[in-house]
Amino acid sequence: MNKFLKKLMNINSKKQIPSNSTPSKAQEIEMKNISFETIKDEIKKIFGHTADLKADDILVGKSEAIIFYLDTVINTDFLKDMLGQTLESPVEQDIRITSVDELQAFGKKSFGVSGYKLIHTISEMTETILEGRIAVIIKGVPAALTISFINSEGRTVSEPTTQTVVRGPKDAFVEDISTNINLIRKRIKNHNLQFEKFKVGNETRTSVYIGSIKGIVNEKILEEVRKRIKDINISAVFESANIEELIQDKSATVFPLALNTERPDSVSSALLDGKIAIITDGTPFILLVPAVLTDFFISSEDNYQNYFMSSFIRMIRYLSFMIGLLMPSAYVGVLTFHPELLPTTLLLSVIAQREGVPFPAVIEVFIMEITFEILREAGVRMPRAVGQTVSIVGALVIGQAAAEAGIISNIMVIIVAITAIANFVFPNYSFANASRLIRFVLIIVASILGLYGVLLVLIFMVAHLSSLRSFGVPYLAPVAPFIVEDQKDIFIRTPIWFQNKRPAYLSPTTLDKQKPQGSPSPPKQSKGGSGD
């Protein structure tokens, strides 16, 4: 069987197309080597019979020309107005373009602010047309002029849907990559903030940007991120999750090794700490790397509240993680193997409630947990107008009816409800999913080995977390290895004026975040009192 799988994988690997594969020879032909009519035929041949490819014959002054564009991608109204005034205006009727230099001078004069550029091969022209640009080909000139007229229509900036806050900015990323970069630059007005562009996906050619701050980011980590993105070999990329799965350290784990967020303030703060942002076109979720375990317990709102309150809420998150992870398995383990751990009064109350329940504790827990998971998914997938109502009413009705019918006990309803609520406390949804999966493993082990099995799984989980790396950074940093200076914003949040250093586990180029400063002291009162 193993030999068959290896042979199958070898066959598939031979059929793979490299991500940086060169286009066909026809696409690589330079325009200076073919005639005007051949260029038109090549472009039409490459795009086939697609209905949205337009090829219009025009006059640029006295020169014959043709423009290629996809009318479903560009802003056709803007195109007609601008080209009508520029390419075919009476002022320009006397010009004749016969060389590349004249074409460049014309582009600079007419489209200097529109991001024009010259291209010299068929492959470049194909790519620019797909990007939402128009290509102007003038007869007798061995180059083409391309101008951007992309249709910028899309979802407007609105409030976050998965990472809401009570106090703080209310804007969130959208599907347009230019808008997302603008939201970051609005917060970080620093010339050292740099973005590198990549094309990922053999078929989709999705734009992916790497954002970092020069002079802060660790150059070795940045180079590793750059290398992994260049090495991606996949046919299509539609969401940042595809990038995350392809660049994370090769480890079989349920824990996310990259932090995703739709909040511009979270990305800006992470960039200033020395992290790297990976921005994918077509998705509002930005990846932040390297990511460590404690990042998933920190919310951007922590910096907008009093540090005492932020520290208290953060401790609640850690407590909620343990409750959501352990409560159902602890219930199964105690009732099945260790009832002596419960106080007598509580034990008698639980036994009385379970009297008449036909299932053992583990089956009871699985019935409720799976039912709740079904209700959760139904609430997400159903139309928004009825989804929340169905999930809430369904949980109440089904839970009460099952308890009254004697299928489950009332204590079981309480435990599952507390577990579910605790699981929603996490600021990051992907980390909550990891907790959900591990909870089922703990329940199964608790039904076989009791609390000893639960403890054994926790030991293996901690050992597994210790072995994980995110772009070379230990996943449990700065707890293991323990870094004293980084503890100022891990389990509790110290005052902002006390956080003078960037996270040392990221090994930033510049460790100092701000000059040491103390809390402002109250003004000294004059000796003569307020009347003097």
Side-chain angles (χ1 to χ4, degrees):
M1 185 67 179
N2 291 335
K3 291 182 179 179
F4 173 76
L5 290 175
K6 290 180 180 179
K7 185 177 180 181
L8 182 62
M9 292 175 65
N10 289 333
I11 292 174
N12 290 334
S13 64
K14 292 178 182 179
K15 295 181 179 180
Q16 289 179 353
I17 301 174
S19 58
N20 296 324
S21 59
T22 58
S24 63
K25 292 182 179 180
Q27 292 177 330
E28 280 299 329
I29 295 176
E30 293 189 4
M31 298 174 62
K32 65 182 181 181
N33 297 328
I34 54 177
S35 64
F36 180 69
E37 288 74 16
T38 305
I39 294 174
K40 295 192 293 184
D41 294 338
E42 284 291 335
I43 295 297
K44 292 179 179 179
K45 180 180 178 182
I46 291 170
F47 282 91
H49 300 286
T50 179
D52 57 346
L53 176 68
K54 302 301 179 183
D56 299 332
D57 293 313
I58 62 171
L59 286 175
V60 180
K62 294 183 179 180
S63 302
E64 295 182 28
I66 186 171
I67 60 173
F68 283 100
Y69 59 92
L70 296 172
D71 65 352
T72 54
V73 179
I74 69 168
N75 189 326
T76 54
D77 294 333
F78 186 52
L79 171 65
K80 292 176 182 177
D81 294 339
M82 192 165 185
L83 292 189
Q85 296 174 8
T86 305
L87 294 181
E88 298 180 329
S89 67
V91 179
E92 304 289 350
Q93 290 296 324
D94 295 333
I95 68 171
R96 182 181 293 276
I97 300 173
T98 58
S99 65
V100 176
D101 292 338
E102 292 177 354
L103 180 63
Q104 185 171 7
F106 173 75
K108 184 176 181 180
K109 178 181 178 181
S110 303
F111 305 102
V113 297
S114 301
Y116 82 95
K117 65 179 181 180
L118 297 184
I119 55 176
H120 301 84
T121 65
I122 301 298
S123 63
E124 291 178 320
M125 188 183 302
T126 303
E127 186 172 349
T128 55
I129 293 174
L130 290 172
E131 288 177 348
R133 303 173 70 93
I134 71 161
V136 182
I137 310 168
I138 298 178
K139 189 173 183 179
V141 180
L145 178 72
T146 65
I147 313 106
S148 177
F149 287 95
I150 190 169
N151 189 353
S152 59
E153 292 182 3
R155 186 167 64 93
T156 58
V157 177
S158 57
E159 291 191 24
T161 57
T162 61
Q163 297 172 327
T164 57
V165 296
V166 176
R167 180 176 180 179
K170 301 295 184 180
D171 55 346
F173 291 120
V174 295
E175 286 74 16
D176 181 62
I177 197 167
S178 300
T179 303
N180 294 342
I181 293 176
N182 178 42
L183 290 173
I184 299 174
R185 285 203 176 274
K186 284 173 62 177
R187 288 168 167 80
I188 305 178
K189 299 178 177 64
N190 189 333
H191 63 279
N192 289 320
L193 175 60
Q194 300 177 350
F195 295 93
E196 300 178 58
K197 184 178 180 180
F198 300 86
K199 290 290 186 179
V200 182
N202 300 326
E203 308 297 337
T204 59
R205 307 297 294 166
T206 305
S207 297
V208 176
Y209 283 78
I210 295 178
S212 61
I213 299 180
K214 185 179 180 181
I216 296 178
V217 67
N218 186 311
E219 292 295 336
K220 292 183 179 179
I221 298 178
L222 179 60
E223 180 59 33
E224 180 64 22
V225 174
R226 188 184 294 121
K227 177 182 178 298
R228 294 188 187 185
I229 290 181
K230 287 181 179 179
D231 291 342
I232 291 178
N233 182 6
I234 192 173
S235 61
V237 171
F238 298 109
E239 219 279 335
S240 57
N242 302 138
I243 302 293
E244 178 182 359
E245 187 173 346
L246 292 166
I247 67 172
Q248 68 181 12
D249 291 44
K250 291 180 174 61
S251 300
T253 181
V254 297
F255 293 96
L257 298 179
L259 179 66
N260 67 81
T261 179
E262 60 176 340
R263 297 190 58 85
D265 55 334
S266 296
V267 173
S268 302
S269 177
L271 287 171
L272 291 170
D273 282 340
K275 295 196 174 187
I276 300 165
I278 302 174
I279 310 168
T280 306
D281 193 17
T283 175
F285 289 94
I286 309 301
L287 299 179
L288 293 172
V289 294
V292 295
L293 181 67
T294 54
D295 288 338
F296 299 94
F297 293 90
I298 297 174
S299 171
S300 59
E301 191 177 12
D302 293 347
N303 293 321
Y304 311 139
Q305 298 191 45
N306 179 276
Y307 58 92
F308 286 111
M309 192 63 195
S310 296
S311 300
F312 172 73
I313 294 175
R314 192 170 295 179
M315 296 303 296
I316 291 293
R317 295 191 192 113
Y318 284 103
L319 178 62
S320 298
F321 171 67
M322 300 306 297
I323 291 175
L325 196 65
L326 297 176
M327 180 167 280
S329 57
Y331 172 80
V332 173
V334 168
L335 283 188
T336 307
F337 293 95
H338 315 283
E340 68 278 2
L341 294 178
L342 294 178
T344 305
T345 305
L346 178 59
L347 179 61
L348 293 175
S349 176
V350 172
I351 292 174
Q353 291 182 38
R354 296 200 73 253
E355 186 177 358
V357 175
F359 305 109
V362 62
I363 301 299
E364 185 184 12
V365 169
F366 266 111
I367 290 174
M368 285 301 297
E369 286 287 347
I370 293 176
T371 301
F372 186 83
E373 292 295 334
I374 293 172
L375 288 171
R376 188 208 301 255
E377 287 302 308
V380 172
R381 311 302 168 197
M382 292 186 69
R384 186 173 299 178
V386 297
Q388 188 175 4
T389 304
V390 168
S391 59
I392 294 175
V393 174
L396 292 174
V397 172
I398 293 176
Q400 183 178 359
E404 291 179 353
I407 299 175
I408 59 172
S409 59
N410 292 324
I411 188 67
M412 188 68 257
V413 177
I414 296 173
I415 288 174
V416 172
I418 294 175
T419 301
I421 294 171
N423 210 50
F424 284 113
V425 174
F426 302 116
N428 190 276
Y429 183 75
S430 59
F431 188 79
N433 288 338
S435 175
R436 290 161 63 185
L437 291 175
I438 298 174
R439 184 165 67 244
F440 282 98
V441 176
L442 287 169
I443 292 172
I444 295 173
V445 175
S447 66
I448 300 172
L449 301 175
L451 296 183
Y452 299 109
V454 173
L455 181 60
L456 190 62
V457 171
L458 291 179
I459 292 173
F460 276 115
M461 186 183 75
V462 173
H464 172 68
L465 291 172
S466 301
S467 68
L468 294 179
R469 296 289 185 275
S470 178
F471 291 88
V473 176
Y475 197 59
L476 291 184
V479 178
F482 188 78
I483 303 174
V484 177
E485 187 65 27
D486 290 352
Q487 304 304 314
K488 295 179 180 179
D489 193 25
I490 299 299
F491 297 104
I492 61 171
R493 183 183 81 79
T494 56
I496 294 178
W497 52 262
F498 190 59
Q499 301 176 26
N500 301 321
K501 304 288 184 180
R502 294 186 172 90
Y505 65 84
L506 293 174
S507 301
T509 304
T510 305
L511 186 59
D512 292 332
K513 188 176 184 179
Q514 60 193 17
K515 294 181 179 180
Q517 54 186 327
S519 175
S521 302
K524 295 181 179 180
Q525 188 175 4
S526 60
K527 295 182 180 180
S530 59
D532 293 344

